[in-house]
Amino acid sequence: MSVAKKEYKRVTVKSLVDMKKNGEKISMLTAYDYSMAKIVDDAKVDVILVGDSASNVMAGHETTLPITLDQMIYHASSVIRAIDRALVVVDLPFGSYQSDPKEALRSAIRIMKESGAHAVKLEGGAEIKESVKRILAAGIPVMGHLGLTPQSIYKFGTYTVRAKEEEEAEKLMEDAKLLEKLGCFGLVLEKIPAQLTKKVSESLTIPTIGIGGGKHADGQVLVVHDLLGMTHEFNPRFLRRYMNLYEEMGKAISNYVSDVKSQDFPNDEEQY
Ligand code: KIV
């Protein structure tokens, strides 16, 4: 179904709630650096997530746990310098908000002050209620994240679909309602059954953004390196690859190598 799109010169947390009200789906993608953020913003993606997936994608770690607050601020400030339109949301990394609400607020303030970001995202529900309340009370917009929460991967043990059982689905629904009540402006739902996404999305006025949550979410998010096919070892069912940049970039780079070796590059026009 196509919906008449309103032009947003600058996307705000309010624009996202309006988009949900008007039936316009929200597009969200990750970016971690200036050059990629410029492309993503120029393509009119509504929300740019400086995800802690930078830990995997940019730094090559197996999980999102090792990335630090300083590293997230570095990525976020590079992204902020590139954007004209998108709302920029930054993940609070593992260890920067779980121990106590005051530390959570300090971490969120550092992100907002030192990077210029527009909002933060935290993983979890009732367990982090006091931290969410404190950050919101300081005037910082918060996005929630439920379902598969990668910072808890060692508790789950696997990256399989979450909330398939009734008990976990009920807890997720309660957490979603709590996050909305506290004042979160949106909610990421990662790797949960499509019917649960539908139920949650219909129960909330704030938008849900799915990743592996099916078509009923109010918006979708992907890791941009996965969408572009720059990564090639990660192949979940929910991922649609729009390019195979791993292959394309590899070909271009080996052409460069052979041109250097054969002394074709640089030629007479490519020198001073
Ligand atoms: O870090 C990230 O990229 C995320 C998305 C998977 C939602 O949190």
Side-chain angles (χ1 to χ4, degrees):
M1 189 180 73
S2 91
V3 172
K5 271 182 34 189
K6 185 176 155 190
E7 277 300 314
Y8 291 93
K9 265 186 123 164
R10 190 113 220 182
V11 180
T12 64
V13 294
K14 188 180 169 300
S15 327
L16 301 183
V17 178
D18 285 349
M19 285 180 198
K20 170 160 180 155
K21 234 186 264 165
N22 299 333
E24 178 182 340
K25 296 281 186 182
I26 297 162
S27 58
M28 174 160 154
L29 269 184
T30 61
Y32 319 106
D33 66 84
Y34 177 87
S35 307
M36 186 68 86
K38 193 126 212 84
I39 298 169
V40 172
D41 189 56
D42 279 351
K44 292 202 163 29
V45 165
D46 299 312
V47 185
I48 293 182
L49 173 66
V50 184
D52 57 0
S53 50
S55 179
N56 313 103
V57 179
M58 303 303 285
H61 291 296
E62 201 180 322
T63 71
T64 58
L65 276 67
I67 199 160
T68 65
L69 187 56
D70 284 337
Q71 288 165 341
M72 289 303 296
I73 290 168
Y74 168 77
H75 286 298
S77 54
S78 309
V79 166
I80 282 287
R81 283 191 284 273
I83 61 109
D84 289 319
R85 177 181 177 274
L87 180 83
V88 177
V89 180
V90 181
D91 269 334
L92 279 185
F94 178 69
S96 71
Y97 64 97
Q98 290 91 346
S99 57
D100 88 84
K102 279 191 192 159
E103 193 187 359
L105 176 58
R106 271 195 297 272
S107 304
I109 287 177
R110 279 202 62 202
I111 286 183
M112 301 296 283
K113 223 177 168 58
E114 295 177 40
S115 76
H118 309 136
V120 296
K121 175 164 82 61
L122 282 73
E123 295 183 4
E127 323 74 46
I128 56 155
K129 178 179 161 186
E130 294 308 319
S131 296
V132 171
K133 264 166 85 173
R134 233 176 220 270
I135 297 170
L136 284 165
I140 300 172
V142 175
M143 179 172 247
H145 185 156
L146 298 173
L148 177 66
T149 47
Q151 291 178 10
S152 308
I153 189 59
Y154 291 118
K155 184 175 90 182
F156 299 145
T158 73
Y159 284 98
T160 54
V161 181
R162 304 302 312 171
K164 287 208 295 208
E165 307 302 328
E166 204 163 313
E167 198 181 329
E168 195 181 337
E170 273 170 21
K171 155 103 170 85
L172 189 144
M173 177 62 97
E174 275 167 26
D175 282 341
K177 286 183 177 162
L178 171 68
L179 291 170
E180 171 168 81
K181 195 163 151 232
L182 292 175
C184 290
F185 70 88
L187 183 58
V188 167
L189 294 174
E190 181 162 354
K191 237 175 164 185
I192 62 169
Q195 283 309 309
L196 180 58
T197 300
K198 183 169 190 283
K199 246 174 92 180
V200 174
S201 306
E202 286 172 356
S203 310
L204 303 181
T205 54
I206 58 168
T208 59
I209 310 288
I211 174 161
K215 62 183 176 187
H216 301 292
D218 302 307
Q220 298 293 329
V221 57
L222 285 175
V223 168
V224 70
H225 292 68
D226 296 336
L227 171 153
L228 295 173
M230 287 170 85
T231 52
H232 68 303
E233 284 149 352
F234 177 64
N235 282 304
R237 190 207 294 200
F238 68 76
L239 175 60
R240 185 180 294 183
R241 288 195 198 283
Y242 287 81
M243 293 185 85
N244 186 345
L245 268 191
Y246 191 91
E247 213 173 282
E248 290 301 310
M249 289 170 86
K251 270 192 234 158
I253 292 165
S254 43
N255 286 341
Y256 163 75
V257 171
S258 67
D259 287 352
V260 170
K261 299 281 178 195
S262 67
Q263 300 181 42
D264 177 75
F265 177 79
N267 61 27
D268 290 345
E269 280 75 50
E270 291 162 330
Q271 63 188 3
Y272 299 99

